[in-house]
Amino acid sequence: MTEYGTLLRRLVDFTGSKLYAVADEVGYDVSYISKWCNKDLLPAPKTAHTVDVALGRFFGDAIRRDGAEAAFDAAFPGARGDGALEQRITALLTEAYDASAHHRAASGTAATSEAELLIRHHEILDRLRTIPTPVKGDTVVCTIDLLTLLKSRDFPALEQLFHGKGIHIHAALDLSPFQQCGQEEMGLLYGFLSRNRESFITLYDGAGLEREGLLAVGEHCGMLISMDGHGELDALVMSRGTAGAQLRETAMTRLSERPVLLSPARPEDMRRGGYRTDFYSRDQFQFFSPYGFEFLLPPSVCEPILQAGGPAAGPVWDLRRLFITWEEVFQKSHIDFYLLKSSLLRYLDTGELLFADIPYHMSYAQRLEHLENIKDRVLANHDIRFFVLDDDALPPGPPPGFGVYLSPKKLFLKSPGAYLTGEGPMFYTVQSDTLIQAAQRYLEHLQSLNACRCFDHRDVPELERRYGGMIYRMLTMQQGSDSERQTHSGDPDFI
């Protein structure tokens, strides 16, 4: 650990600060703050002073808020002086940074800063395949446009660098293709997120980064990559050790200067500042549900679901308000629901769904009541439509990993897998109007596919005639079988 890291860790511990709060203050991902504190990593020289000033302000506010100035002077005698508290903390951090940077430069050797140049295509691909797959906690930083990589025929040699449980990916994204039609690009982006749903991905506006060509993996592996006009790799400079770490810091600095387009979020982030309330204040919505169907639930299941959620699901009053909000929204709004045929059949069979932040298993009786409530709502609101996609007739691709929640001004994604396995981000929020509009066009494009069928209030009588009796018998027979198994569970003669 560097002298700078030791001091930063002491300041964090002294003020009782959370690393994610420090990260928000300085504008870096929390994984970087952790590595500054705990590993041999320093902020980039270009941004070090700005970071130290922000940290001085953050820790100074915390110390003053706690009335701990005297205790700080006793614990950090080197920070005593006549200046303001924030200035003294900044000076302390700057001094530690300079000492750490000097020590690193003095101890560096050719072996720890080796670089190699490759220009033969097959050698470039072979070299990339030797880079170890990132592990949990590692960071991948890429200033190359993500879509350019995904469309490249050479991406298979790079794909393992973007795939790992619990890794943090920071990448540039060129918005210009999404400003036109963007259907292919939106499909590629959603597929990338779904394949890597156990990774934490942040995307930045790639405008102005076209010539950077930086890719860094882990702490000490940095690359300069050149691609030809066809998206093929034609040159690679790979640096390790100190030089690799510096490339990584440079890449992260360049990205952090650009607007964030998409970022991971936690349930508390979605509740903070009324995000969900604002989302549902519109009157047009598009939802894609790859797991269960949490919408149009009958009021009778509200309390059982809230009880199943427990304290971890968040404030009960907040969830009740969401349930009431949905009731109002579904009465009058224009809503398009997109469902996979396989997920619809799975829900009817298992009853598994994810309501807000609560995984829940609907009983057979509750499922029947849910279907009846859906029918009543659709007949009452003629602006509700269902688009059912036949999985078998869709183009091949990764299984959908995220539910899509889209209104005219907001878009967020929810990962059922994160709730069920504890791996990966639970949400992504999208901060780009261009991406929101492209997502709207992409969902509308699905309506034109041969694999898609539309159902609305006019189809209810025919659907009820064709499938109502079958579904009712299926669920009631399963309910009866379960009850009989429970009744005879202790009977050795029951088979």
Side-chain angles (χ1 to χ4, degrees), residues 1 26 57 126 145 162 225 231 290 310 314 322 387 390 392 397 412 425:
M1 187 188 304
V26 300
R57 182 173 58 249
D126 289 343
D145 170 46
F162 293 86
I225 293 177
L322 177 62
F387 295 92
D390 185 349
D392 295 333
F412 67 91

Side-chain angles (χ1 to χ4, degrees), residues 386-418:
F386 288 83
F387 295 92
V388 180
L389 299 161
D390 185 349
D391 312 43
D392 295 333
L394 290 173
F402 291 90
V404 178
Y405 300 71
L406 180 60
S407 70
K409 292 295 182 182
K410 286 188 181 293
L411 166 62
F412 67 91
L413 312 178
K414 184 167 71 172
S415 170

Side-chain angles (χ1 to χ4, degrees), residues 296-308 320 323-324 327 347 355 360-374 377:
L296 302 173
L297 292 169
S300 62
V301 305
C302 177
E303 289 305 318
I305 290 178
L306 296 183
Q307 292 172 12
R320 282 202 184 98
F323 201 96
I324 294 170
E327 285 283 297
Y347 169 64
F355 172 76
Y360 187 73
H361 180 270
M362 297 276 282
S363 69
Y364 296 115
Q366 288 173 330
R367 270 172 268 169
L368 283 172
E369 191 177 358
H370 190 188
L371 291 173
E372 192 66 26
N373 194 63
I374 291 173
R377 292 296 187 186

Side-chain angles (χ1 to χ4, degrees), residues 44 93 97 129 226 317 326 330 343 372 494:
L93 286 163
Y97 180 89
R129 294 188 182 102
S226 173
W317 61 266
W326 280 7
F330 297 143
S343 64
E372 192 66 26
F494 179 74

Side-chain angles (χ1 to χ4, degrees), residues 11-307:
L11 287 167
V12 169
D13 293 341
F14 180 82
T15 57
S17 302
K18 301 292 186 184
L19 290 187
Y20 70 80
V22 178
D24 288 344
E25 182 68 24
V26 300
Y28 274 78
D29 186 79
V30 69
S31 64
Y32 275 82
I33 311 302
S34 176
K35 288 167 184 175
W36 292 347
C37 288
N38 303 311
K39 296 185 179 181
D40 185 24
L41 190 66
L42 295 171
K46 181 180 178 181
T47 60
H49 179 68
T50 302
V51 168
D52 289 345
V53 170
L55 290 173
R57 182 173 58 249
F58 176 81
F59 291 126
D61 289 344
I63 292 167
R64 192 174 288 109
R65 184 172 57 247
D66 296 337
E69 291 94 330
F72 171 77
D73 289 338
F76 298 86
R80 291 175 181 170
D82 297 329
L85 179 59
E86 291 84 351
Q87 294 172 344
R88 289 188 282 132
I89 296 173
T90 297
L92 202 62
L93 286 163
T94 300
E95 183 181 347
Y97 180 89
D98 291 342
S100 299
H102 176 76
H103 175 76
R104 174 181 287 181
S107 60
T109 64
T112 60
S113 300
E114 63 180 72
E116 57 180 318
L117 169 65
L118 299 171
I119 57 175
R120 292 186 176 90
H121 187 247
H122 71 279
E123 291 180 347
I124 295 172
L125 299 183
D126 289 343
R127 188 69 184 88
L128 290 171
R129 294 188 182 102
T130 66
I131 301 174
T133 301
V135 298
K136 192 169 187 175
D138 279 349
T139 301
V140 176
V141 186
C142 180
T143 67
I144 306 167
D145 170 46
L146 180 61
L147 286 178
T148 299
L149 290 178
L150 294 177
K151 293 179 179 180
S152 171
R153 68 178 187 179
D154 292 337
F155 185 67
L158 289 163
E159 189 165 13
Q160 85 278 4
L161 304 181
F162 293 86
H163 187 72
K165 184 182 296 185
I167 68 172
H168 296 260
I169 299 172
H170 298 262
L173 183 69
D174 180 10
L175 287 177
S176 56
F178 296 98
Q179 293 169 347
Q180 305 302 320
C181 185
Q183 293 171 4
E184 177 190 359
E185 289 78 12
M186 187 56 68
L188 285 172
L189 179 56
Y190 181 81
F192 177 78
L193 294 172
S194 292
R195 282 195 304 275
N196 300 285
R197 58 184 173 272
E198 294 183 336
S199 302
F200 295 80
I201 301 169
T202 305
L203 300 179
Y204 304 79
D205 186 349
L209 302 178
E210 295 84 1
R211 298 184 180 275
E212 296 287 337
L214 296 172
L215 175 62
V217 182
E219 293 184 37
H220 300 291
C221 178
M223 291 168 271
L224 285 167
I225 293 177
S226 173
M227 305 181 76
D228 64 21
H230 302 289
E232 186 174 285
L233 303 174
D234 61 5
L236 169 68
V237 177
M238 181 176 290
S239 299
R240 293 190 175 275
T242 303
Q246 289 173 344
L247 279 178
R248 187 177 95 147
E249 283 297 301
T250 300
M252 192 65 231
T253 299
R254 296 293 287 121
L255 286 178
S256 63
E257 294 170 348
R258 303 299 304 149
V260 173
L261 305 177
L262 174 146
S263 59
R266 297 160 297 181
E268 53 266 36
D269 298 324
M270 305 301 291
R271 294 190 289 267
R272 189 178 298 128
Y275 182 93
R276 273 179 170 158
T277 302
D278 184 56
F279 177 88
Y280 290 109
S281 65
R282 318 294 170 174
D283 62 359
Q284 294 186 33
F285 303 93
Q286 293 170 292
F287 301 105
F288 170 62
S289 298
Y291 178 80
F293 189 68
E294 62 180 314
F295 305 101
L296 302 173
L297 292 169
S300 62
V301 305
C302 177
E303 289 305 318
I305 290 178
L306 296 183
Q307 292 172 12

